[in-house]
Amino acid sequence: MTPFRIEIPQDRLDDLRHRLAATRWPDESPATGWEAGVPLGYLKDLADYWGTGYDWRAQEARLNEFPQFTTEIDGQTVHFLHVRSPEPGAVPLILTHGWPGSVVEFMNIIGPLTDPARHGGDPADAFHVVAPSLPGFGFSTPLAAPGWGTSRVARAWAELMKRLGYDRYGAQGGDTGAIITPELGRIDSDHVIGVHVNNLGTFPSGDPAELAGLTETDQARLAFMTTWGRDMSGYAIVQSTRPQTISYALTDSPVGQLAWIVEKFKEWTDPSAGLPEDAIERDLILTDVSVYWLTGTAGSAARIYYEDARTWGQASPRSQVPTGVAVFPNDITLRPLAERDHNVVRWSEFSRGGHFAALEAPDLLVEDVRSFFRPLR
């Protein structure tokens, strides 16, 4: 375990500002709004703020308030935050982000999770938090070898928790983390006391009986799943088939990287939000994008799609680990299918928030995590 601090060289920040100022912009699309992608005027304004108003050093200092480390697991450098609670009875909890996320997602929930007494909560709900960067993402780089799909990540997380001396722990994750976290429960069930997920993907097997008698809410989510596959999955198709090709554009152009990610903050956040920054503070969005840009990890992060694409849609053994499912607006989580694949003991639905729950509705996510693990401690 090696202590780690984020210290981006100044010349890398200067280069970012130069590239932003020298951007070669395309013509505006004749399509209206966001239907063909990020509007030109919106992106110009956001890029200008990134280059002239946004303060990376302030955000870097915020991230460095959390103790950070690196270790090598299975030949791969793994970066992680490790924040121990002051409460002696705290339960270890590993948090897993997805794409286009990072450990930035957890900045507003680590405090309430580790020290609930300081945030209006019960000290008995405290956690020791471990929050790794996925291999190939951010500071868990460079990607040392092929084969780092979600199952291999789950095995690495089990090893990480063992090295930290945590014999009994919980796990939470969203997006890609909602794939890795249940898998961690399957492979380390002797040590994982419970699994909590948000943005859990649930997909029909082809058996019509699975979809018989769906509630009106689940029917709407099924319809949105079809819409997503038709109109919103282009990024996933590219990243799962040609991650190296797209990496050249995203690694060379900060505006390209910004557009590639901010589109998801528009499409996946609370549907009541008109713009991404109506759902998530603009500086936090740019901090997440900056982590990808400053570490040059567009291509290596995309590879997790490439590694997993061959197993998409294949059934996994049903997990017997107690599972809590938090469903936020725009999630395509169908309860009958979740219960088919997981031992669901808690089901929560929320009317605000979205895909990036830890950033959009940290209060709701924290309270649901506390409530889920309370009887499992």
Side-chain angles (χ1 to χ4, degrees):
M1 302 290 178
T2 304
F4 180 88
R5 280 181 62 82
I6 302 170
E7 295 176 324
I8 298 298
Q10 184 59 42
D11 61 357
R12 207 172 297 177
L13 299 177
D14 295 340
D15 176 68
L16 168 60
R17 295 189 181 97
H18 171 76
R19 288 171 183 264
L20 288 169
T23 299
R24 183 184 181 198
W25 293 98
D27 293 336
E28 178 65 280
S29 168
T32 59
W34 291 69
E35 65 183 50
V38 185
L40 180 63
Y42 175 83
L43 198 64
K44 279 187 171 182
D45 180 69
L46 188 59
D48 179 68
Y49 176 72
W50 194 14
T52 63
Y54 169 77
D55 186 351
W56 164 260
R57 291 300 186 201
Q59 298 298 314
E60 183 181 69
R62 282 190 65 192
L63 284 165
N64 281 331
E65 290 175 2
F66 303 114
Q68 299 173 58
F69 304 85
T70 60
T71 190
E72 185 177 302
I73 301 175
D74 194 11
Q76 174 64 43
T77 295
V78 174
H79 161 264
F80 61 99
L81 313 183
H82 185 200
V83 187
R84 289 187 59 84
S85 172
E87 301 298 334
V91 168
L93 179 69
I94 185 167
L95 304 176
T96 306
H97 66 83
W99 185 93
S102 64
V103 293
V104 172
E105 289 188 60
F106 306 131
M107 291 170 69
N108 291 335
I109 66 172
I110 289 176
L113 288 173
T114 57
D115 196 356
R118 291 189 60 188
H119 296 82
D122 185 343
D125 288 328
F127 296 93
H128 301 305
V129 168
V130 179
S133 297
L134 290 172
F137 286 65
F139 306 103
S140 286
T141 50
L143 196 58
W148 278 98
T150 50
S151 293
R152 189 172 179 182
V153 174
R155 293 193 297 272
W157 281 192
E159 173 63 21
L160 176 60
M161 297 303 275
K162 179 182 177 181
R163 289 187 188 181
L164 291 172
Y166 293 140
D167 184 62
R168 187 174 181 274
Y169 63 94
Q172 199 285 328
D175 188 82
T176 307
I179 303 172
I180 294 167
T181 300
E183 182 64 12
L184 176 58
R186 292 185 187 97
I187 67 171
D188 202 23
S189 58
D190 289 343
H191 302 101
V192 176
I193 63 170
V195 162
H196 184 281
V197 290
N198 61 285
N199 192 243
L200 176 67
T202 53
F203 303 99
S205 67
D207 180 359
E210 290 181 341
L211 304 179
L214 288 181
T215 65
E216 186 175 333
T217 297
D218 277 340
Q219 287 174 359
R221 289 177 183 143
L222 184 62
F224 184 63
M225 191 185 303
T226 301
T227 299
W228 186 93
R230 183 183 64 241
D231 298 334
M232 301 166 66
S233 61
Y235 78 96
I237 294 170
V238 171
Q239 294 192 160
S240 64
T241 58
R242 298 294 185 272
Q244 185 64 26
T245 301
I246 192 63
S247 74
Y248 298 115
L250 302 185
T251 305
D252 187 60
S253 169
V255 164
Q257 179 69 93
L258 178 63
W260 193 247
I261 290 180
V262 81
E263 179 186 271
K264 302 308 147 199
F265 280 100
K266 164 61 177 173
E267 291 185 341
W268 297 351
T269 49
D270 192 319
S272 68
L275 294 172
E277 56 265 42
D278 295 333
I280 300 170
E281 181 185 341
R282 182 163 60 166
D283 279 6
L284 285 176
I285 294 173
L286 288 174
T287 301
D288 183 67
V289 176
S290 294
V291 167
Y292 282 82
W293 172 259
L294 295 171
T295 58
T297 50
S300 59
R303 281 196 64 89
I304 201 164
Y305 282 75
Y306 182 81
E307 298 291 353
D308 267 22
R310 294 155 189 77
T311 61
W312 284 351
Q314 293 183 12
S316 297
R318 187 176 189 273
S319 174
Q320 299 304 313
V321 176
T323 300
V325 180
V327 184
F328 290 87
N330 274 350
D331 283 355
I332 52 173
T333 308
L334 306 184
R335 185 164 188 171
L337 303 188
E339 292 176 339
R340 176 197 66 192
D341 298 335
H342 308 276
N343 177 21
V344 178
V345 299
R346 180 179 175 86
W347 181 274
S348 306
E349 300 202 16
F350 300 101
S351 60
R352 63 177 172 89
H355 182 95
F356 303 94
L359 291 172
E360 297 181 69
D363 57 329
L364 298 181
L365 182 62
V366 165
E367 184 51 41
D368 203 60
V369 170
R370 289 172 178 169
S371 297
F372 168 69
F373 281 103
R374 201 168 287 143
L376 302 175
R377 288 175 173 269

